[in-house]
Amino acid sequence: MTPRRAGAAAHLAASDDPGHFNYWRREPLAYTTGLATTAFAAGGVRAPALLDLTDNPDGSVTMLLEDVAGRPGTTLGATELGEFAYRLGLGQAGNVRSADWMARDFLRDYTLAQPIPGDLSWDHPAVEQAWSPELRAGLRRLWDRRHEILDAAAALPRTLCHHDVWPMNLIGTSHGVVLFDWAFTGPGPIGEDAANLALDTFWDGLADVSQLGAVLAAVSDGYARGLAGTMSPDQVHRAIRVTGAAKYFWLAPRMLAAAWTNPRGTGYDTRDWASMFAGRAPMFRTVVEWADTI
């Protein structure tokens, strides 16, 4: 890893500020301080072992991590994701940590950094075809309430968050799920990692969206079981709704801004714009429903 990654979008540029959401040395520090291996140990969740770390003459860092054998997270079903959420809840219960190299306020800083033009048009042909008028209105309402929703997330109980829990960072093994990529870790609101896991399983078309309801239920209920004794199930479910709305209020406007100016690029989601807008509609309906309960 390097202080500056060639080709990175401006809003995702690495930072030398230790509290910035994209501080470039955070993952090496997560390993050398022992955080990655102990963060959620109470739930049996672990990171891959660090085998070697080298500070290179050019200022970059080379990390050699354990080669974890197992099933890719994209193959895990609702039951397995719910079990992981349960273990994540166990690991996050009462787990409040901070350090100057951790992300100060990932949820607010990352979401508000997204480049959304002030004169954004919501009438792209792909949107009009894929999203109902009610969904478009709900997403605009969500965007307009973004600061209110971020404030609601900030008022929730705090825990240590990974901030990037999704199937591409998971490998299922016979001894449990291994969690990769600790570059964003830091304090955050209860519920954020669980909300991210449930929805980010589907955004990029990597899983069958017909399983959305089953995964949402399994992750929410599993996470609530993990936090039993710390928060009531109703409190946990509300936290997931609040943080899920806060985590994704920017995504629809960002997609629209890109669709107006760019052909489809490369990435995890390789669908054309029309297919992407249609494929993401069920998750956006969930986010709007969550936001409207806040």
Side-chain angles (χ1 to χ4, degrees):
M1 55 191 61
T2 63
R4 297 289 181 266
R5 177 167 59 88
H11 69 288
L12 296 177
S15 174
D16 293 320
D17 173 3
H20 188 275
F21 75 83
N22 207 18
Y23 175 47
W24 77 275
R25 290 193 66 100
R26 184 171 294 117
E27 186 161 33
L29 284 164
Y31 276 95
T32 56
T33 62
L35 179 85
T37 55
T38 64
F40 307 134
V45 176
R46 72 174 184 92
L50 176 66
L51 304 179
D52 186 64
L53 186 148
T54 302
D55 287 296
N56 302 313
D58 65 358
S60 65
V61 175
T62 300
M63 295 174 60
L64 180 63
L65 298 178
E66 170 192 4
D67 181 10
V68 178
R71 294 172 53 199
T74 52
T75 69
L76 302 178
T79 299
E80 292 161 304
L81 293 173
E83 175 65 18
F84 174 75
Y86 163 66
R87 294 186 175 280
L88 181 64
L90 287 175
Q92 290 187 329
N95 188 355
V96 181
R97 306 193 211 181
S98 63
D100 59 6
W101 53 267
M102 292 185 187
R104 278 187 301 264
D105 191 350
F106 177 88
L107 189 56
R108 189 179 300 271
D109 292 345
Y110 174 80
T111 57
L112 293 181
Q114 301 297 322
I116 312 297
D119 58 350
L120 177 66
S121 170
W122 289 73
D123 299 322
H124 191 281
V127 168
E128 294 180 331
Q129 180 179 355
W131 296 349
S132 68
E134 293 78 14
L135 178 56
R136 296 201 301 274
L139 290 168
R140 294 188 71 166
R141 188 165 62 247
L142 172 63
W143 173 250
D144 290 340
R145 295 180 61 211
R146 60 193 181 278
H147 295 288
E148 172 194 347
I149 292 170
L150 283 170
D151 287 344
L156 292 168
R158 308 289 279 177
T159 189
L160 177 68
C161 290
H162 178 274
H163 292 308
D164 199 15
V165 179
W166 74 305
M168 293 297 287
N169 284 335
L170 305 178
I171 291 183
T173 76
S174 59
H175 301 291
V177 174
V178 178
L179 179 58
F180 286 73
D181 194 354
W182 293 79
F184 296 145
T185 191
I190 282 280
E192 181 190 341
D193 281 343
N196 195 87
L197 172 63
L199 291 175
D200 221 356
T201 294
F202 298 98
W203 286 122
D204 291 318
L206 303 176
D208 181 356
V209 74
S210 70
Q211 295 301 302
L212 175 62
V215 169
L216 288 173
V219 168
S220 297
D221 292 346
Y223 191 63
R225 284 193 299 114
L227 288 166
T230 302
M231 300 172 68
S232 72
D234 285 347
Q235 289 173 320
V236 174
H237 293 157
R238 178 182 181 276
I240 290 173
R241 295 195 302 270
V242 171
T243 55
K247 190 66 176 281
Y248 292 111
F249 68 77
W250 60 273
L251 183 53
R254 182 77 182 92
M255 288 170 59
L256 276 162
W260 278 117
T261 58
N262 301 314
R264 280 294 295 123
T266 58
Y268 293 111
D269 195 329
T270 59
R271 295 172 292 186
D272 59 42
W273 283 120
S275 299
M276 180 190 286
F277 279 111
R280 292 182 174 182
M283 288 74 77
F284 279 127
R285 285 194 290 269
T286 296
V287 173
V288 169
E289 290 168 5
W290 284 354
D292 285 345
T293 68
I294 301 170

